[in-house]
Amino acid sequence: SKKGFIFDLDGVIVDTAKYHFLAWRKLANSLGIDFTEVQNEQLKGVSRVKSLEKILNWGNKEVSQGEFNRLMAEKNEDYLSYIYKMDASEILPDVHRVLNLLKEHHQGIALGSASKNAKLILEKVNLLDYFEVVVDGNSVTKAKPDPEVFLNAANALEIKPDNCIVFEDAVAGVEAANAAQMISIGIGSKNVLSHANFVFKDFTEISNDFILQLINQ
Ligand code: BG6
Ligand code: MG
């Protein structure tokens, strides 16, 4: 039967966390705030606004609304300088195989991302054509762990939430999928993503049989 397969973008399809890290670190350092990889981990799946709030908090800094917006724009401009250089070689291992298998079996394929840069990134890595539906940070009002992003994707695919499967690398994203009554598949560590229905290190661990079982169940 036709199921809806909803993919998070950052950390699932491409590893953009390293570019977010470079851009946030540059911004934080320019404000005299330290920023480590450990802190960057805590920004996975977190919106741009919430990320800057956290960084300013870590540095005990308060800024005006105008300055806040200027800092977000500055970070994004720097982030985009890395994004513009991306190409298909940055697609994570076996993502193509899984997308092709889903296409072959005429499954619904959607993106469910918090990023406002999602469409641009899919274009850069040449994957936009796979996605029937793209729900991203421009169309969502409530951030993950709220289920809105995934419910909107299911709605646009015209597939019931309990017939949808979500691939997510962030704890908040797994919570959002669970709250939407969807099957959650964590991509990453079992310890971190303990609330997911299934967890795999990456797509190389996900067999075609496993995908076919999801389609046929
Ligand atoms: C999420 C990332 O997918 O998108 C977060 O995991 C990021 O790190 C968020 O902050 C928003 O992204 P953007 O591209 O709109 O700044
Ligand atoms: Mg992610």
Side-chain angles (χ1 to χ4, degrees):
S1 61
K2 188 174 176 185
K3 297 281 164 69
F5 288 83
I6 308 174
F7 292 77
D8 174 47
L9 175 68
D10 298 309
V12 169
I13 292 176
V14 284
D15 174 23
T16 42
K18 58 189 179 202
Y19 303 138
H20 281 296
F21 173 67
L22 293 173
W24 281 130
R25 187 179 60 183
K26 186 171 173 188
L27 188 86
N29 290 354
S30 78
L31 297 167
I33 303 172
D34 280 338
F35 185 67
T36 64
E37 303 242 20
V38 176
Q39 285 167 313
N40 194 51
E41 277 299 306
Q42 297 180 48
L43 302 184
K44 276 192 183 170
V46 176
S47 73
R48 198 182 303 172
V49 173
K50 281 264 154 58
S51 299
L52 182 54
E53 282 173 2
K54 276 179 185 266
I55 290 169
L56 292 173
N57 231 334
W58 288 327
N60 284 315
K61 258 207 156 31
E62 275 185 44
V63 299
S64 68
Q65 187 60 54
E67 178 70 353
F68 190 95
N69 291 340
R70 196 191 62 72
L71 293 172
M72 278 207 305
E74 189 178 318
K75 182 270 174 175
N76 196 53
E77 208 175 296
D78 193 38
Y79 177 65
L80 286 177
S81 70
Y82 299 107
I83 300 307
Y84 288 132
K85 290 180 211 143
M86 288 182 87
D87 62 30
S89 68
E90 296 205 39
I91 299 167
L92 290 169
D94 279 20
V95 166
H96 265 132
R97 172 179 57 82
V98 171
L99 287 172
N100 285 330
L101 184 68
L102 294 174
K103 269 271 178 271
E104 247 171 67
H105 291 268
H106 311 289
Q107 298 299 297
I109 304 179
L111 194 86
S113 168
S115 172
K116 296 190 170 176
N117 300 304
K119 268 214 165 118
L120 171 69
I121 295 170
L122 286 179
E123 265 169 26
K124 292 299 296 175
V125 301
N126 205 18
L127 284 181
L128 191 55
D129 287 349
Y130 280 97
F131 292 87
E132 193 178 324
V133 163
V134 173
V135 181
D136 63 19
N138 298 300
S139 53
V140 163
T141 56
K142 287 168 266 165
K144 301 170 187 175
D146 191 283
E148 183 185 11
V149 57
F150 297 137
L151 292 174
N152 288 357
N155 194 44
L157 286 171
E158 298 183 42
I159 297 176
K160 287 201 183 73
D162 57 1
N163 280 324
C164 288
I165 297 104
V166 172
F167 297 100
E168 254 295 344
D169 71 312
V171 174
V174 167
E175 304 294 354
N178 292 344
Q181 313 284 326
M182 299 176 178
I183 295 176
S184 53
I185 302 188
I187 302 292
S189 136
K190 276 206 168 77
N191 298 326
V192 178
L193 304 172
S194 59
H195 290 169
N197 294 122
F198 303 92
V199 182
F200 299 96
K201 188 170 61 60
D202 57 33
F203 281 96
T204 67
E205 287 191 345
I206 303 183
S207 69
N208 286 358
D209 276 351
F210 178 78
I211 298 286
L212 294 176
Q213 274 172 37
L214 289 171
I215 294 173
N216 294 319
Q217 86 189 3

